[in-house]
Amino acid sequence: MHPTIWQLIFVTLIQTVNSDWLAERVAFVTKQVREQHNKSWNIVEVDACRLDPAVHVAPGGCMAQEPMSQIEDVGFIHVVYTTATASHSVCGPVVDAVYNLTTNKTVFKSEPFVMDDQCFPIGIENSSRVTISEAFQLAQSKADLSTFKTINYREVLYPCVSESTVIFTTDDTKIDYGSVFVGSSSRNVCKSAVTRPYKLPNGSEPTICTEPDHAPQCFK
């Protein structure tokens, strides 16, 4: 089963994420995962919202909850891990971790969550990355984002995407496209996961990445 753009666009190693309020709590979960499972589990995806949607059940999950206006409003973090690395693709199950900040409890499930098998090498950058807080400030100033329902931090794993991205999903009527994407290295604020032109090692740009649906659409 191949991931969709909302299931698995990017993956990330938490060591490469600049420290801020949210990243510190994700690091806490990662430490528990590695201690309990005795493997170098790396992050596939991080998702965060105000409340645990499994406890506060409503149609739409996190999107049905009250919007957040600051990063510290997050009360629920969901993290998915794999043993894949930037250079080595591993096919196997993932570990699913859910952390409730209100109860300070983490629940783990050692079974596939996003897909049957994780078979993708993960794209890791060594360049300086934007923090979640900085990304929110950029989204506020360039896209006029005021509130958000979820935060996602994901790494490179999708055609024409060349950097990891912080994603703020919102029901703000000013944001008619639903989400604001902030490039972790370029710091571009865009309407899709493509936050800058995609270049091959030889400097050329694939034809598909020049098409309107795959070209960057960013705020000035």
Side-chain angles (χ1 to χ4, degrees):
M1 174 180 168
H2 293 289
T4 67
I5 188 171
W6 293 114
Q7 289 174 315
L8 184 58
I9 307 175
F10 312 100
V11 287
T12 183
L13 294 176
I14 195 63
Q15 296 96 324
T16 65
V17 180
N18 291 331
S19 179
D20 68 359
W21 188 89
L22 184 58
E24 289 171 0
R25 281 145 185 85
V26 173
F28 170 72
V29 177
T30 301
K31 182 175 183 292
Q32 295 179 70
V33 168
R34 290 176 175 170
E35 288 175 348
Q36 292 197 24
H37 296 279
N38 196 29
K39 287 185 178 181
S40 297
W41 291 97
N42 300 314
I43 294 174
V44 174
E45 181 174 334
V46 178
D47 306 294
C49 61
R50 182 180 287 275
L51 301 168
D52 185 343
V55 176
H56 302 269
V57 180
C62 291
M63 291 301 294
Q65 299 174 9
E66 288 296 315
M68 297 177 281
S69 59
Q70 58 182 3
I71 306 300
E72 291 78 6
D73 288 337
V74 167
F76 167 82
I77 300 173
H78 170 239
V79 194
V80 184
Y81 297 84
T82 178
T83 55
T85 67
S87 59
H88 182 52
S89 175
V90 177
C91 289
V94 298
V95 169
D96 181 29
V98 171
Y99 176 44
N100 187 316
L101 278 72
T102 302
T103 61
N104 196 34
K105 291 184 179 180
T106 308
V107 177
F108 306 99
K109 292 187 291 184
S110 298
E111 59 185 42
F113 174 77
V114 175
M115 63 187 76
D116 293 334
D117 289 302
Q118 165 65 25
C119 302
F120 299 90
I122 56 180
I124 298 299
E125 299 174 48
N126 294 320
S127 53
S128 176
R129 297 182 178 216
V130 69
T131 67
I132 303 295
S133 297
E134 290 169 342
F136 182 45
Q137 291 172 2
L138 287 167
Q140 286 177 306
S141 63
K142 293 192 175 184
D144 196 25
L145 179 71
S146 56
T147 62
F148 53 92
K149 291 297 188 79
T150 67
I151 305 170
N152 310 95
Y153 193 105
R154 296 168 183 157
E155 260 289 352
V156 179
L157 188 61
Y158 200 71
C160 303
V161 176
S162 61
E163 64 178 334
S164 54
T165 310
V166 179
I167 308 166
F168 297 94
T169 304
T170 181
D171 62 357
D172 190 330
T173 55
K174 299 191 303 295
I175 313 295
D176 57 1
Y177 37 86
S179 298
V180 175
F181 298 74
V182 181
S184 64
S185 297
S186 68
R187 288 167 168 72
N188 291 334
V189 179
C190 309
K191 297 181 179 181
S192 78
V194 182
T195 52
R196 62 186 180 187
Y198 183 88
K199 301 292 185 180
L200 295 172
N202 63 8
S204 65
E205 190 172 0
T207 302
I208 189 175
C209 297
T210 63
E211 297 175 357
D213 289 346
H214 296 90
Q217 300 179 48
C218 304
F219 298 91
K220 301 298 183 182

